[in-house]
Amino acid sequence: MKYYSTRDRRKAIPAKEAIFRGPADDGGLYVPEYIPSFSFEDYLHASYSELACAVLETFFEDFDASYLKESAQAAYKEFDRDNAVGYTELGDVTVAELFHGPTAAFKDFALQMLPYLMKESAAGRKVRILTATSGDTGKAALAGFKDVENTDIFVFYPANGVSTMQKRQMTTQEGENVHVYGIDGNFDDAQRTVKEMFQDDALREEGRASGIEFSSANSINIGRLVPQIVYYIYSYLELVRRGTIEMGETVDICVPTGNFGNILASMYAKRMGLPFGQFICASNKNHVLTDFINTGVYDTHRDFYKTTSPSMDILVASNIERYLQLILKRDEKVKEKMDELKERGRFDIPVDLIRRSKLVGYWTTDAEGEARIKDVFERYGYLMDPHTAVAYDGVKKHASPRHVLLMATASPYKFPETVADALNLPKEEDTEALLREIEKVSSEPIPKALEEVFRKPERFKESIKIDEMPLVVKEGFDD
């Protein structure tokens, strides 16, 4: 199977090269020539790594099967659940806990696997990973690529736009090849500038002259997106194994959504054969996606808000481009819409196309999210992070007639201030003390990966201006 740019179907390349490049040279994103069918029923009793290997083989045909098997086993062995995902029942909702990996966020599922895919794709070439993060991608990418041979990684995050725990996870990261910078802007600024660097021919040629190629660990990389499909298939099969549903029964999916990659992976899973019904896209006060879903108009001319669910504080969702490719099916139309977004800050499509894709959208205020955290904890004794609370609020607003699979994206301990406020716990200026207070009330142990950050020195305290990002990326070009 080949991969082509969303903006030009003629530029098809093998999977390994698509993974190595990250975004396409024309600014588009790589997508598969077709979405392959998958006999998911055959994997009812498969382990998570076995299923991951099978899905990756289906998409990445130019990888050796034995290499994918070994990589999947290595990637998921550090998760603290037997098969990587935890599950909790909340009435007619099953929460799929995607935060039991090394950094306590769902990004681990892809970013523990991507370094293996990248290493094989690079074939000895030196690669510099450029990554923008709204909080969780940064730490997961840093952990995944730490000390990987012939690779270094630069992570840029909004200095005042992530939680205290997210920031500490990144600034205490170990490894000789990692570089972390806060920027004086928001995630959209970081993401836009990273994309501009990929299209800066002079900068890339300067890197190549030093033997360094650029790539990405964001979900603009198809090697990030495909591994995320696996946990949707595994979770559907888990519902069958638990007797919650019958094989073949339709379920709805709810995802707290910022950059649109996670929910897009569920749409790919449906096109592979999974019986998914509607896709509930849950957003916070930065509800550009909700408005787009309900009107067909994607308009970034709006106020930007810092919320208690910071990983969704995004106005320009990168994977909306792959979604357009999925529903418009014509690369020239995708290019037209993305050009409009760049030039005018908006585009529109017929809302009927969105309806046909079974995508619905809701948004939640900070107060509503905190109320959901409190209500669920009092009713079920279950503690959720603010992003998962936004998703749960979306489920309740949607009132689905089917069983809902809700994707929980992060440990509540990554957002202790918000969780403590929701539970009316005493204020603690010391973050570690706050974690202990939450642990006492919830009886849910603090993830080891989060406890450890308080024993490590902060290595990366530097903040830079947005226009300085290309300058720091050039460091080491002449080495």
Side-chain angles (χ1 to χ4, degrees):
M1 183 192 299
K2 300 283 189 180
Y3 288 77
Y4 66 88
S5 169
T6 47
R7 304 183 191 184
D8 190 346
R9 194 179 182 95
R10 297 169 300 177
K11 299 178 180 178
I13 59 176
K16 286 184 179 180
E17 193 61 23
I19 292 168
F20 182 74
R21 292 186 188 184
D25 291 344
D26 60 8
L29 306 182
Y30 285 112
V31 291
E33 290 178 307
Y34 59 92
I35 306 296
S37 60
F38 186 78
S39 301
F40 63 93
E41 302 95 336
D42 296 343
Y43 294 89
L44 181 61
H45 301 294
S47 68
Y48 192 90
S49 62
E50 288 170 341
L51 178 64
C53 178
V55 172
L56 293 170
E57 277 189 77
T58 302
F59 278 90
F60 301 147
E61 296 173 338
D62 51 345
F63 281 82
D64 182 75
S66 61
Y67 179 80
L68 291 177
K69 180 180 180 180
E70 293 169 4
S71 298
Q73 289 173 342
Y76 301 115
K77 69 178 181 181
E78 300 300 326
F79 285 63
D80 66 5
R81 289 294 184 274
D82 288 342
N83 273 302
V85 190
Y87 296 94
T88 297
E89 304 291 343
L90 303 178
D92 55 358
V93 176
T94 297
V95 179
E97 299 169 349
L98 305 178
F99 51 78
H100 295 294
T103 75
F106 81 100
K107 307 295 178 77
D108 289 326
F109 280 89
L111 286 167
Q112 286 296 301
M113 190 69 207
L114 182 59
Y116 294 98
L117 300 176
M118 184 67 72
K119 181 179 179 180
E120 184 73 3
S121 300
R125 292 175 286 182
K126 291 184 178 179
V127 60
R128 179 156 293 182
I129 306 291
L130 308 182
T131 300
T133 183
S134 56
D136 289 331
T137 290
K139 172 58 182 178
L142 291 164
F145 283 98
K146 169 194 168 187
D147 292 331
V148 171
E149 186 180 5
N150 290 326
T151 303
D152 58 13
I153 178 168
F154 286 69
V155 167
F156 302 95
Y157 70 93
N160 297 307
V162 298
S163 77
T164 54
M165 284 301 299
Q166 288 174 317
K167 184 174 183 177
R168 192 168 185 92
Q169 280 188 290
M170 289 186 283
T171 59
T172 59
Q173 176 63 49
E174 299 169 332
E176 296 300 316
N177 65 334
V178 301
H179 310 270
V180 181
Y181 296 92
I183 65 161
D184 62 349
N186 57 38
F187 171 76
D188 289 314
D189 296 320
Q191 182 169 247
R192 183 191 66 252
T193 306
V194 165
K195 288 181 178 179
E196 289 172 352
M197 286 191 278
F198 277 106
Q199 293 190 273
D200 186 333
D201 292 338
L203 180 64
R204 298 194 72 169
E205 285 305 318
E206 193 173 346
R208 286 166 180 155
S210 297
I212 298 171
E213 293 281 356
F214 291 164
S215 190
S216 173
N218 285 102
S219 57
I220 59 177
N221 192 317
I222 193 66
R224 252 286 302 274
L225 185 64
V226 170
Q228 292 180 262
I229 297 170
V230 181
Y231 51 69
Y232 285 103
I233 302 174
Y234 188 85
S235 294
Y236 181 85
L237 293 173
E238 178 64 17
L239 294 181
V240 176
R241 288 188 289 266
R242 295 163 77 93
T244 305
I245 62 170
E246 298 290 332
M247 183 70 83
E249 185 177 339
T250 300
V251 300
D252 289 343
I253 303 294
C254 183
V255 187
T257 308
N259 223 13
F260 210 81
N262 197 2
I263 197 167
L264 182 72
S266 69
M267 294 179 169
Y268 275 35
K270 179 174 182 174
R271 282 157 178 77
M272 294 172 73
L274 267 288
F276 290 162
Q278 290 188 298
F279 302 92
I280 305 167
C281 177
S283 300
N284 62 19
K285 195 174 181 180
N286 293 295
H287 48 84
V288 62
L289 288 169
T290 308
D291 293 347
F292 167 63
I293 292 165
N294 292 329
T295 67
V297 178
Y298 197 106
D299 192 347
T300 62
H301 295 299
R302 59 181 65 218
D303 292 333
F304 175 85
Y305 299 99
K306 293 180 181 179
T307 74
T308 56
S309 48
S311 296
M312 296 190 290
D313 290 349
I314 297 171
L315 295 183
V316 182
S318 284
N319 276 286
I320 207 71
E321 181 162 352
R322 285 193 176 107
Y323 174 68
L324 290 179
Q325 184 272 331
L326 206 61
I327 62 174
L328 296 178
K329 299 181 173 60
R330 292 166 54 195
D331 50 355
E332 70 273 13
K333 291 298 293 183
V334 174
K335 184 178 186 305
E336 174 189 313
K337 298 304 176 184
M338 298 313 297
D339 286 345
E340 288 179 17
L341 184 62
K342 182 177 180 179
E343 294 164 10
R344 300 169 50 212
R346 70 186 303 278
F347 67 81
D348 62 87
I349 64 171
V351 74
D352 285 350
L353 289 177
I354 299 173
R355 298 282 179 274
R356 278 180 234 157
S357 72
K358 304 300 182 182
L359 180 64
V360 297
Y362 299 89
W363 71 277
T364 299
T365 65
D366 287 352
E368 287 176 315
E370 289 191 18
R372 292 297 185 186
I373 293 173
K374 185 174 188 292
D375 176 63
V376 169
F377 185 69
E378 291 178 346
R379 187 183 304 183
Y380 299 101
Y382 183 71
L383 193 60
M384 55 178 55
D385 90 289
H387 302 79
T388 306
V390 166
Y392 188 78
D393 187 62
V395 169
K396 292 305 177 182
K397 287 174 177 173
H398 184 61
S400 173
R402 291 178 285 266
H403 196 80
V404 177
L405 184 63
L406 186 158
M407 314 313 285
T409 53
S411 164
Y413 287 105
K414 295 194 76 166
F415 307 92
E417 293 85 1
T418 300
V419 171
D421 284 346
L423 301 182
N424 298 315
L425 297 181
K427 300 287 184 183
E428 294 280 356
E429 291 187 11
D430 180 74
T431 303
E432 186 174 12
L434 192 56
L435 294 183
R436 298 294 176 201
E437 285 299 316
I438 296 171
E439 186 177 44
K440 287 178 187 176
V441 171
S442 69
S443 300
E444 180 68 26
I446 302 168
K448 182 180 178 182
L450 300 185
E451 276 191 305
E452 290 176 346
V453 300
F454 298 103
R455 315 288 172 256
K456 298 177 181 179
E458 286 197 83
R459 298 179 61 203
F460 304 102
K461 299 181 180 181
E462 185 178 1
S463 291
I464 61 175
K465 297 183 183 300
I466 296 166
D467 59 8
E468 293 178 305
M469 289 171 60
L471 299 178
V472 300
V473 164
K474 292 169 68 171
E475 292 177 5
F477 271 3
D478 296 323
D479 291 353

